[in-house]
Amino acid sequence: MISQLESLKKFSSVVADTGDIDSIQKFSPDDCTTNPSLIFKAVQSNKYKKLFDEVLANSKSRKFNQLNDQVDYIADQLAIAFGIQLTKIVPGYVSTEVDSDLSFNTEATVEKAKQIINSYEQSGVPRNRILIKIAGTWEGIQAVKKLEAEGISCNCTLIFSITQAVACAEAGAFLISPFVGRILDWFKANSSKDYDATNDPGVESVEKIYNYFKKYNYNTIVMAASFRNKEEIINLAGCDKLTISPSLLEELNKSEGELDQKLSQNQSSQIDIDRINVNESSFRWHLNENQMASFKLAEGIRLFNKDLLKLKETIREQL
Ligand code: G3P
C-alpha cells in the first residue's frame, strides 16, 4: 500500500521545513525551507557543533570594526552554511530568510538579499538554487519586486491574507508562503467556534489564494506552510508546493492510503472570482481591516526577530 506522503507527491511538490539537515533525507523532499527560528533550533543541537565551529573559525580570519559586526556576520554565515548543506540533499530550492528587523526597509532588504546570494555564489551554490525569504509587508514586497527584476528569486513569507498574496504576485514574486496553522491558532484563540478539518480557516485562506492565482494565471508558486496536523496538508493536496515539518512528514510517511486531489488549476479556472486591485493604500487598508492578518504578520516578524537575537546571543557567548 502506498504511503500518504508518496500519494501526496503525485499532486504537490513536497518541501521540508527545517534546519535539521539529517532529518529529511529519508523523505526525499524537492526543496527545503528554513527560517530564523529553525536555524536557531538547529544550532542548539550538538549534531551541528562542527558546522557552528567552522563558521566561527572562518569569521576569525576577517577584520571587524566591532564585535556586533562579527556577530551579525556569523549569524548570516550560519544560515548560509545550513543552506549550503541543504542544497546537497534536496535537488531543488533552498530558502534563506532576510533578517526580520529589515521588514520595513526596502533598500536594506535588497542589500541583505544580495549579500546572501553573493555568499552562496562564492561557495559555489548558484543563485537559481536559492530563494530569498522576505516577510510580506508592503516594504518587503517592494524589495521582492526589485530583486526579481534583477534575477534573484524570492519567497514571500508570513502571508495571511489574499491582499498580501495578490500584492506579491503583482510584484512578480517567484513564490509565496501562505501560512495555515498560525491562522487556525488565531481563530481558536479569538472565537468560540469549533474548528476541524472541514472548516479550518488556514486551509480556506490557501484555497482562496490558490484559486485566485490559477484563475488569473499568475506564475507565482503557492507553497502552503505552517501546519498543525496532517489533515490540513491532505486537504491542500494539489497546491503547487507544501512545506512540511519533519514530524508531519514522518506521520504522512507512516500513514497508508491514496489521497484525493483537492486543488487543481482546472477547477480553479471555472470559479467566479472578482479581480482584486492592490496598491499601497489599499494594501495597508485591507491589512488593517483584517485583524488576524495584521496581528499574525506583526507577531511573525517579532518571533523571527526574537529567535535571531537568541542566535546572536549564542554566537556572542562563543566568541
Ligand atoms: O515555513 C513556515 C513555518 O516554519 C512556520 O511554522 O509551525 O511556526 O507556524 P509554524
Side-chain angles (χ1 to χ4, degrees):
M1 181 68 128
I2 190 170
S3 74
Q4 288 184 337
L5 182 60
E6 283 314 306
S7 178
L8 182 64
K9 285 180 180 176
K10 292 185 199 168
F11 308 123
S12 295
S13 163
V14 168
V15 177
D17 193 25
T18 187
D20 187 355
I21 303 159
D22 298 342
S23 68
I24 56 170
Q25 228 144 356
K26 65 176 173 177
F27 305 119
S28 309
D30 293 329
D31 310 332
C32 190
T33 52
T34 63
N35 64 40
S37 305
L38 295 172
I39 297 294
F40 175 65
K41 199 171 157 201
V43 165
Q44 302 311 298
S45 161
N46 249 345
K47 279 196 288 189
Y48 303 115
K49 188 166 179 338
K50 190 164 165 263
L51 188 146
F52 189 18
D53 289 345
E54 275 170 16
V55 173
L56 282 180
N58 286 341
S59 81
K60 290 183 179 153
S61 61
R62 296 176 78 96
K63 282 223 173 321
F64 298 94
N65 290 334
Q66 299 177 39
L67 179 67
N68 278 349
D69 295 340
Q70 186 175 6
V71 172
D72 291 350
Y73 174 81
I74 295 170
D76 288 347
Q77 292 306 310
L78 264 176
I80 292 160
F82 275 93
I84 292 168
Q85 295 308 315
L86 291 166
T87 60
K88 294 177 187 162
I89 295 179
V90 296
Y93 305 105
V94 169
S95 292
T96 296
E97 192 147 342
V98 162
D99 307 22
S100 304
D101 62 357
L102 305 179
S103 296
F104 302 102
N105 186 333
T106 299
E107 293 314 319
T109 298
V110 168
E111 197 182 317
K112 180 49 78 84
K114 287 182 181 173
Q115 281 169 15
I116 295 172
I117 288 294
N118 284 341
S119 288
Y120 271 114
E121 287 185 331
Q122 279 164 18
S123 304
V125 178
R127 64 177 60 196
N128 64 8
R129 298 288 313 280
I130 304 301
L131 302 183
I132 299 293
K133 261 179 111 172
I134 296 174
T137 57
W138 180 258
E139 293 79 1
I141 296 168
Q142 300 323 296
V144 168
K145 192 172 184 174
K146 293 186 179 200
L147 290 163
E148 293 284 355
E150 293 186 37
I152 295 176
S153 297
C154 300
N155 167 350
C156 275
T157 190
L158 294 171
I159 301 300
F160 298 100
S161 70
I162 184 82
T163 308
Q164 285 174 286
V166 173
C168 293
E170 292 284 343
F174 180 78
L175 178 150
I176 62 162
S177 298
F179 279 33
V180 177
R182 292 191 192 188
I183 294 184
L184 177 64
D185 297 343
W186 190 90
F187 279 94
K188 278 184 164 175
N190 291 280
S191 88
S192 49
K193 211 167 146 183
D194 285 332
Y195 293 99
D196 58 27
T198 63
N199 65 350
D200 187 313
V203 171
E204 287 167 5
S205 169
V206 175
E207 285 168 349
K208 188 171 177 182
I209 291 167
Y210 177 91
N211 287 334
Y212 189 91
F213 279 24
K214 301 307 168 196
K215 171 90 187 175
Y216 291 109
N217 294 313
Y218 284 107
N219 289 327
T220 301
I221 293 168
V222 180
M223 181 174 74
S226 166
F227 296 107
R228 294 294 169 264
N229 51 64
K230 81 179 167 70
E231 282 62 42
E232 289 183 325
I233 299 166
I234 289 169
N235 280 327
L236 290 171
C239 191
D240 302 328
K241 287 181 184 283
L242 298 157
T243 186
I244 307 173
S245 64
S247 59
L248 286 172
L249 284 170
E250 182 68 52
E251 265 192 57
L252 288 162
N253 202 30
K254 279 188 179 154
S255 311
E256 291 182 339
E258 290 281 359
L259 301 179
D260 295 327
Q261 182 167 4
K262 303 284 184 177
L263 301 179
S264 73
Q265 164 99 46
N266 190 27
Q267 206 180 29
S268 304
S269 59
Q270 292 168 34
I271 304 173
D272 280 336
I273 309 173
D274 288 339
R275 191 99 207 193
I276 298 170
N277 288 314
V278 182
N279 54 38
E280 181 174 357
S281 57
S282 70
F283 177 93
R284 294 194 191 282
W285 175 259
H286 286 292
L287 202 56
N288 193 60
E289 284 287 286
N290 185 334
Q291 274 192 60
M292 175 279 294
S294 340
F295 178 83
K296 282 290 165 189
L297 173 60
E299 180 199 53
I301 292 169
R302 280 195 298 274
L303 292 176
F304 285 153
N305 187 50
K306 200 168 157 190
D307 282 336
L308 181 60
L309 292 177
K310 284 199 235 163
L311 175 66
K312 289 185 180 177
E313 201 41 54
T314 307
I315 295 167
R316 212 168 272 122
E317 284 161 11
Q318 300 296 318
L319 285 172

